[in-house]
Amino acid sequence: MKKRILVTGGAGFVGSHLCRRLLNEGHEIICLDSFFTGSKDNIVDMMDHPYFELVRHDVQQPILLEVDEIYNLACPASPPYYQFDPVATTRTSVLGAIHMLDIARKCKAKILQASTSEVYGDPEVHPQPESYRGSVSTTGIRACYDEGKRCAETLFFDYQRQYGVEIKVIRIFNTYGPFMNPHDGRVVSNFIVQALKGEDITMYGDGTQTRSFQYIDDLIDGMIRLMDSRDGFTGPVNVGNPGEFTMLELAQKVIELTGSKSEIKFFPLPQDDPLQRQPDITLAKKELGWEPHVNLEEGLKKTIEYFKSVI
Ligand code: NAD
Ligand code: UDP
Protein backbone atom coordinates (compact mmCIF):
# COMPACT_ATOMS: atom_id res chain seq x y z
CA MET A 1 0.00 0.00 0.00
CA LYS A 2 1.30 3.43 -0.98
CA LYS A 3 2.06 5.56 2.09
CA ARG A 4 2.96 9.24 2.46
CA ILE A 5 6.20 9.22 4.41
CA LEU A 6 8.05 12.14 6.02
CA VAL A 7 11.82 11.77 6.33
CA THR A 8 13.40 14.55 8.41
CA GLY A 9 17.10 14.98 7.71
CA GLY A 10 16.29 13.45 4.31
CA ALA A 11 19.13 15.27 2.50
CA GLY A 12 21.78 13.84 4.84
CA PHE A 13 23.84 10.69 4.48
CA VAL A 14 21.38 8.17 5.98
CA GLY A 15 18.26 10.15 5.06
CA SER A 16 19.05 10.28 1.34
CA HIS A 17 19.51 6.48 1.20
CA LEU A 18 16.24 6.02 3.07
CA CYS A 19 14.29 8.39 0.77
CA ARG A 20 15.64 6.58 -2.31
CA ARG A 21 14.74 3.14 -0.99
CA LEU A 22 11.22 4.18 0.10
CA LEU A 23 10.61 5.98 -3.20
CA ASN A 24 11.69 2.85 -5.09
CA GLU A 25 9.25 0.84 -3.00
CA GLY A 26 6.45 3.02 -4.42
CA HIS A 27 5.80 5.43 -1.54
CA GLU A 28 5.28 9.19 -1.61
CA ILE A 29 8.17 10.96 0.13
CA ILE A 30 8.36 14.31 1.85
CA CYS A 31 12.03 15.05 2.48
CA LEU A 32 12.43 17.76 5.13
CA ASP A 33 15.85 19.29 5.76
CA SER A 34 17.50 22.53 6.91
CA PHE A 35 20.64 21.69 4.88
CA PHE A 36 22.88 22.22 7.91
CA THR A 37 24.97 19.13 7.08
CA GLY A 38 22.85 17.72 4.25
CA SER A 39 23.16 18.61 0.60
CA LYS A 40 21.02 18.81 -2.53
CA ASP A 41 23.71 16.73 -4.25
CA ASN A 42 22.56 13.77 -2.13
CA ILE A 43 18.98 13.96 -3.42
CA VAL A 44 19.33 15.53 -6.87
CA ASP A 45 18.53 12.21 -8.57
CA MET A 46 15.10 12.17 -6.86
CA MET A 47 14.12 15.83 -7.37
CA ASP A 48 12.17 15.28 -10.59
CA HIS A 49 10.27 12.27 -9.31
CA PRO A 50 6.54 13.09 -9.08
CA TYR A 51 6.29 11.43 -5.64
CA PHE A 52 9.31 13.21 -4.11
CA GLU A 53 8.76 16.55 -2.38
CA LEU A 54 11.43 18.69 -0.73
CA VAL A 55 10.65 20.97 2.23
CA ARG A 56 13.38 23.31 3.51
CA HIS A 57 12.61 23.61 7.22
CA ASP A 58 14.37 23.57 10.58
CA VAL A 59 12.77 21.09 13.02
CA GLN A 60 13.51 23.47 15.89
CA GLN A 61 10.36 25.22 14.59
CA PRO A 62 6.92 23.55 14.52
CA ILE A 63 5.32 22.51 11.22
CA LEU A 64 2.16 20.63 10.24
CA LEU A 65 2.23 18.04 7.47
CA GLU A 66 -0.24 15.25 6.80
CA VAL A 67 1.57 11.94 6.65
CA ASP A 68 1.18 8.24 7.47
CA GLU A 69 4.70 7.60 8.74
CA ILE A 70 7.62 9.70 10.01
CA TYR A 71 11.31 8.80 10.14
CA ASN A 72 12.91 11.43 12.39
CA LEU A 73 16.58 11.72 11.39
CA ALA A 74 17.17 15.48 11.48
CA CYS A 75 20.29 16.08 13.60
CA PRO A 76 23.97 16.54 12.79
CA ALA A 77 25.74 13.26 13.57
CA SER A 78 29.44 14.04 13.20
CA PRO A 79 31.23 15.33 16.33
CA PRO A 80 32.77 18.46 14.66
CA TYR A 81 29.35 19.47 13.32
CA TYR A 82 27.24 18.69 16.40
CA GLN A 83 29.82 20.50 18.55
CA PHE A 84 29.87 23.56 16.22
CA ASP A 85 26.62 24.93 17.72
CA PRO A 86 25.92 22.61 20.66
CA VAL A 87 22.85 24.52 21.85
CA ALA A 88 21.27 24.11 18.41
CA THR A 89 22.14 20.38 18.55
CA THR A 90 20.23 19.87 21.80
CA ARG A 91 17.36 22.02 20.52
CA THR A 92 17.25 20.00 17.29
CA SER A 93 17.02 16.69 19.15
CA VAL A 94 14.57 17.81 21.82
CA LEU A 95 12.37 20.37 20.02
CA GLY A 96 12.64 18.34 16.81
CA ALA A 97 11.31 15.27 18.64
CA ILE A 98 8.43 17.29 20.16
CA HIS A 99 7.45 18.84 16.83
CA MET A 100 7.53 15.53 14.95
CA LEU A 101 5.70 13.70 17.75
CA ASP A 102 3.03 16.44 17.63
CA ILE A 103 2.53 15.70 13.92
CA ALA A 104 2.33 11.97 14.67
CA ARG A 105 -0.23 12.61 17.40
CA LYS A 106 -2.42 14.83 15.19
CA CYS A 107 -2.25 12.57 12.11
CA LYS A 108 -2.18 9.25 13.98
CA ALA A 109 1.05 8.56 12.11
CA LYS A 110 3.61 5.95 13.10
CA ILE A 111 6.95 7.54 14.02
CA LEU A 112 10.50 6.19 14.15
CA GLN A 113 13.29 7.94 16.03
CA ALA A 114 16.90 7.67 14.82
CA SER A 115 18.58 7.27 18.19
CA THR A 116 22.19 6.27 18.63
CA SER A 117 24.73 4.05 20.34
CA GLU A 118 25.90 7.33 21.94
CA VAL A 119 23.12 6.87 24.51
CA TYR A 120 25.50 4.26 26.03
CA GLY A 121 28.28 6.88 26.32
CA ASP A 122 31.69 5.41 27.21
CA PRO A 123 30.26 1.99 28.07
CA GLU A 124 31.24 -0.14 31.07
CA VAL A 125 29.25 -3.09 29.67
CA HIS A 126 30.55 -4.79 26.53
CA PRO A 127 28.94 -5.53 24.09
CA GLN A 128 26.03 -3.18 24.77
CA PRO A 129 22.52 -4.66 25.08
CA GLU A 130 19.48 -2.33 25.01
CA SER A 131 19.00 -2.90 28.77
CA TYR A 132 22.33 -1.16 29.54
CA ARG A 133 21.54 2.35 30.78
CA GLY A 134 24.80 3.90 29.70
CA SER A 135 27.63 6.00 31.08
CA VAL A 136 27.18 9.49 29.67
CA SER A 137 28.68 12.81 30.75
CA THR A 138 26.04 15.51 31.17
CA THR A 139 28.63 18.30 31.01
CA GLY A 140 31.23 17.28 28.40
CA ILE A 141 31.53 18.32 24.77
CA ARG A 142 29.60 15.28 23.48
CA ALA A 143 26.68 15.80 25.89
CA CYS A 144 24.72 18.09 23.53
CA TYR A 145 24.34 15.13 21.18
CA ASP A 146 24.20 12.23 23.65
CA GLU A 147 21.83 13.86 26.15
CA GLY A 148 19.74 15.40 23.37
CA LYS A 149 19.22 11.92 21.92
CA ARG A 150 18.50 10.43 25.35
CA CYS A 151 15.87 13.11 26.03
CA ALA A 152 14.34 12.46 22.59
CA GLU A 153 13.95 8.77 23.52
CA THR A 154 12.23 9.86 26.77
CA LEU A 155 9.82 12.08 24.82
CA PHE A 156 9.00 9.22 22.45
CA PHE A 157 8.10 6.87 25.30
CA ASP A 158 6.10 9.58 27.11
CA TYR A 159 4.11 10.46 23.97
CA GLN A 160 3.35 6.76 23.64
CA ARG A 161 2.21 6.36 27.26
CA GLN A 162 0.44 9.73 27.53
CA TYR A 163 -1.11 10.11 24.06
CA GLY A 164 -0.98 6.61 22.56
CA VAL A 165 1.39 7.57 19.71
CA GLU A 166 2.74 4.55 17.85
CA ILE A 167 6.54 4.77 18.25
CA LYS A 168 9.64 2.87 17.12
CA VAL A 169 13.12 3.70 18.46
CA ILE A 170 16.28 2.47 16.71
CA ARG A 171 19.74 2.80 18.27
CA ILE A 172 22.10 3.12 15.32
CA PHE A 173 25.79 2.16 15.65
CA ASN A 174 28.53 3.81 13.51
CA THR A 175 27.39 3.65 9.88
CA TYR A 176 29.32 4.49 6.73
CA GLY A 177 28.93 4.34 2.96
CA PRO A 178 28.45 6.37 -0.24
CA PHE A 179 26.94 9.88 0.15
CA MET A 180 28.86 10.60 3.35
CA ASN A 181 30.13 14.15 3.11
CA PRO A 182 33.89 14.01 2.37
CA HIS A 183 34.38 16.87 4.87
CA ASP A 184 32.02 15.39 7.44
CA GLY A 185 34.79 14.71 9.98
CA ARG A 186 33.83 11.13 10.86
CA VAL A 187 36.55 8.54 10.91
CA VAL A 188 35.69 6.43 7.85
CA SER A 189 35.28 9.42 5.51
CA ASN A 190 38.37 11.16 6.95
CA PHE A 191 40.62 8.11 6.55
CA ILE A 192 39.43 7.30 3.01
CA VAL A 193 39.72 10.89 1.76
CA GLN A 194 43.17 11.25 3.37
CA ALA A 195 44.35 7.95 1.89
CA LEU A 196 43.08 8.82 -1.60
CA LYS A 197 44.78 12.23 -1.47
CA GLY A 198 48.01 10.76 -0.07
CA GLU A 199 47.70 12.96 3.06
CA ASP A 200 48.58 11.90 6.61
CA ILE A 201 45.95 9.73 8.32
CA THR A 202 44.74 11.65 11.41
CA MET A 203 44.68 9.14 14.28
CA TYR A 204 43.16 10.52 17.49
CA GLY A 205 44.66 8.95 20.60
CA ASP A 206 46.77 5.79 20.26
CA GLY A 207 44.24 4.16 17.92
CA THR A 208 43.36 1.31 20.29
CA GLN A 209 39.80 2.61 20.80
CA THR A 210 37.24 0.46 18.99
CA ARG A 211 34.09 0.97 16.95
CA SER A 212 31.79 -1.46 15.13
CA PHE A 213 31.09 -0.23 11.61
CA GLN A 214 27.90 -0.96 9.72
CA TYR A 215 27.40 -0.51 5.98
CA ILE A 216 24.55 1.82 5.03
CA ASP A 217 22.46 -0.79 3.14
CA ASP A 218 22.23 -2.96 6.27
CA LEU A 219 21.06 0.02 8.33
CA ILE A 220 18.35 1.02 5.83
CA ASP A 221 17.07 -2.56 5.83
CA GLY A 222 16.94 -2.54 9.65
CA MET A 223 15.15 0.83 9.78
CA ILE A 224 12.40 -0.26 7.40
CA ARG A 225 12.01 -3.61 9.16
CA LEU A 226 11.58 -1.76 12.46
CA MET A 227 8.99 0.64 11.03
CA ASP A 228 7.08 -2.40 9.69
CA SER A 229 7.52 -4.48 12.86
CA ARG A 230 4.58 -5.88 14.82
CA ASP A 231 2.18 -3.49 16.61
CA GLY A 232 3.36 -2.74 20.11
CA PHE A 233 7.04 -3.42 19.42
CA THR A 234 8.63 -0.07 20.21
CA GLY A 235 12.29 -0.92 20.71
CA PRO A 236 14.67 0.61 21.58
CA VAL A 237 16.54 -1.81 19.36
CA ASN A 238 20.24 -1.83 18.46
CA VAL A 239 21.03 -1.94 14.75
CA GLY A 240 24.74 -2.28 14.03
CA ASN A 241 27.41 -4.67 12.83
CA PRO A 242 29.06 -6.55 15.73
CA GLY A 243 32.40 -6.72 13.83
CA GLU A 244 34.60 -4.62 16.15
CA PHE A 245 37.84 -2.92 15.00
CA THR A 246 40.44 -0.61 16.52
CA MET A 247 40.99 2.68 14.70
CA LEU A 248 44.51 1.44 13.87
CA GLU A 249 43.03 -1.65 12.19
CA LEU A 250 40.63 0.59 10.26
CA ALA A 251 43.46 2.86 9.08
CA GLN A 252 45.56 -0.12 7.97
CA LYS A 253 42.61 -1.62 6.07
CA VAL A 254 41.91 1.69 4.30
CA ILE A 255 45.58 2.13 3.36
CA GLU A 256 45.67 -1.44 2.02
CA LEU A 257 42.45 -1.15 -0.02
CA THR A 258 43.37 2.23 -1.53
CA GLY A 259 47.01 1.24 -2.13
CA SER A 260 47.91 4.57 -0.52
CA LYS A 261 51.33 5.77 0.63
CA SER A 262 49.76 7.83 3.45
CA GLU A 263 51.31 7.58 6.90
CA ILE A 264 49.50 7.53 10.22
CA LYS A 265 49.99 10.67 12.33
CA PHE A 266 48.86 10.76 15.97
CA PHE A 267 46.81 13.57 17.58
CA PRO A 268 45.29 13.94 21.08
CA LEU A 269 42.14 11.94 21.80
CA PRO A 270 39.11 14.29 22.07
CA GLN A 271 37.42 14.62 25.48
CA ASP A 272 34.97 11.81 26.43
CA ASP A 273 35.79 9.79 23.27
CA PRO A 274 34.34 6.30 23.99
CA LEU A 275 37.03 3.59 24.30
CA GLN A 276 34.97 0.72 22.95
CA ARG A 277 31.67 0.02 21.28
CA GLN A 278 29.95 -3.11 19.99
CA PRO A 279 26.23 -3.77 19.56
CA ASP A 280 24.46 -6.77 21.07
CA ILE A 281 21.98 -7.47 18.25
CA THR A 282 20.07 -10.36 19.85
CA LEU A 283 16.86 -8.30 19.98
CA ALA A 284 17.06 -7.16 16.33
CA LYS A 285 17.58 -10.77 15.24
CA LYS A 286 14.58 -11.95 17.25
CA GLU A 287 12.07 -9.14 16.59
CA LEU A 288 13.09 -7.95 13.13
CA GLY A 289 14.68 -11.09 11.69
CA TRP A 290 17.56 -8.70 10.91
CA GLU A 291 21.30 -9.10 10.83
CA PRO A 292 24.02 -7.31 8.85
CA HIS A 293 25.28 -8.83 5.58
CA VAL A 294 28.09 -6.50 4.45
CA ASN A 295 31.46 -6.93 6.14
CA LEU A 296 33.96 -4.11 6.63
CA GLU A 297 36.19 -4.92 3.66
CA GLU A 298 33.29 -5.20 1.22
CA GLY A 299 31.67 -2.01 2.51
CA LEU A 300 34.93 -0.06 2.46
CA LYS A 301 35.55 -1.05 -1.17
CA LYS A 302 32.16 0.36 -2.22
CA THR A 303 32.72 3.51 -0.16
CA ILE A 304 36.22 4.04 -1.58
CA GLU A 305 34.76 3.82 -5.13
CA TYR A 306 32.25 6.52 -4.21
CA PHE A 307 34.87 8.86 -2.75
CA LYS A 308 37.08 8.35 -5.80
CA SER A 309 34.22 9.69 -7.91
CA VAL A 310 33.56 12.80 -5.79
CA ILE A 311 36.96 14.13 -4.70
P1 NAD B 1 23.97 13.78 8.46
O1 NAD B 1 24.60 14.93 9.18
O2 NAD B 1 24.53 13.37 7.14
O3 NAD B 1 22.42 14.04 8.26
C1 NAD B 1 21.62 14.78 9.13
C2 NAD B 1 20.62 15.59 8.33
O4 NAD B 1 19.79 16.35 9.22
C3 NAD B 1 21.32 16.60 7.41
O5 NAD B 1 20.74 16.56 6.12
C4 NAD B 1 21.06 17.93 8.09
O6 NAD B 1 21.05 19.05 7.20
C5 NAD B 1 19.71 17.68 8.75
N1 NAD B 1 19.48 18.55 9.90
C6 NAD B 1 20.32 18.83 10.92
N2 NAD B 1 19.73 19.67 11.80
C7 NAD B 1 18.48 19.92 11.31
C8 NAD B 1 17.40 20.70 11.75
N3 NAD B 1 17.46 21.41 12.89
N4 NAD B 1 16.25 20.74 11.00
C9 NAD B 1 16.17 20.03 9.85
N5 NAD B 1 17.18 19.28 9.37
C10 NAD B 1 18.31 19.22 10.10
O7 NAD B 1 23.99 12.56 9.49
P2 NAD B 1 23.56 11.04 9.26
O8 NAD B 1 24.75 10.20 9.47
O9 NAD B 1 22.78 10.90 8.01
O10 NAD B 1 22.60 10.80 10.50
C11 NAD B 1 21.18 10.78 10.36
C12 NAD B 1 20.55 10.45 11.70
O11 NAD B 1 20.99 9.17 12.14
C13 NAD B 1 20.91 11.44 12.81
O12 NAD B 1 19.77 11.66 13.61
C14 NAD B 1 21.97 10.71 13.59
O13 NAD B 1 21.99 11.11 14.92
C15 NAD B 1 21.54 9.26 13.43
N6 NAD B 1 22.70 8.36 13.60
C16 NAD B 1 23.62 8.23 12.61
C17 NAD B 1 24.72 7.41 12.82
C18 NAD B 1 25.76 7.23 11.75
O14 NAD B 1 26.76 6.56 12.02
N7 NAD B 1 25.61 7.73 10.56
C19 NAD B 1 24.87 6.72 14.03
C20 NAD B 1 23.91 6.91 15.02
C21 NAD B 1 22.82 7.71 14.79
N1 UDP C 1 38.83 9.45 14.80
C1 UDP C 1 40.17 9.45 14.40
N2 UDP C 1 40.54 10.24 13.35
C2 UDP C 1 39.63 11.01 12.66
C3 UDP C 1 38.27 10.99 13.06
C4 UDP C 1 37.91 10.21 14.15
O1 UDP C 1 41.01 8.75 14.99
O2 UDP C 1 40.05 11.68 11.72
C5 UDP C 1 38.43 8.57 15.93
C6 UDP C 1 37.57 9.26 16.99
O3 UDP C 1 38.39 9.87 17.96
C7 UDP C 1 36.81 8.07 17.54
C8 UDP C 1 36.61 7.15 16.32
O4 UDP C 1 37.60 7.56 15.39
O5 UDP C 1 37.57 7.39 18.49
C9 UDP C 1 35.23 7.28 15.69
O6 UDP C 1 34.99 8.65 15.43
P1 UDP C 1 33.68 9.20 14.69
O7 UDP C 1 33.71 10.70 14.81
O8 UDP C 1 33.59 8.62 13.33
O9 UDP C 1 32.45 8.58 15.51
P2 UDP C 1 32.06 8.53 17.06
O10 UDP C 1 33.23 8.95 17.91
O11 UDP C 1 30.91 9.46 17.20
O12 UDP C 1 31.72 7.11 17.28
Side-chain angles (χ1 to χ4, degrees), residues 92-112:
T92 293
S93 271
V94 175
L95 294 176
I98 290 172
H99 295 145
M100 293 309 120
L101 283 160
D102 282 340
I103 298 180
R105 186 181 168 199
K106 280 205 182 89
C107 302
K108 298 200 184 316
K110 202 179 348 173
I111 179 165
L112 179 148

Side-chain angles (χ1 to χ4, degrees), residues 8-15 32-39 42 57-60 72-78 81 88 92 113-118 145 149 171-176 179-181 184 186 219 223:
T8 77
F13 160 52
V14 176
L32 181 155
D33 209 292
S34 68
F35 293 104
F36 175 46
T37 52
S39 157
N42 290 344
H57 178 78
D58 188 319
V59 295
Q60 295 175 64
N72 187 36
L73 275 62
C75 186
S78 165
Y81 281 95
T92 293
Q113 168 66 1
S115 191
T116 167
S117 53
E118 297 287 337
Y145 182 75
K149 289 283 186 178
R171 289 184 179 157
I172 303 169
F173 284 65
N174 296 64
T175 306
Y176 67 98
F179 293 105
M180 284 186 102
N181 180 343
D184 175 271
R186 281 179 273 191
L219 169 62
M223 286 181 117

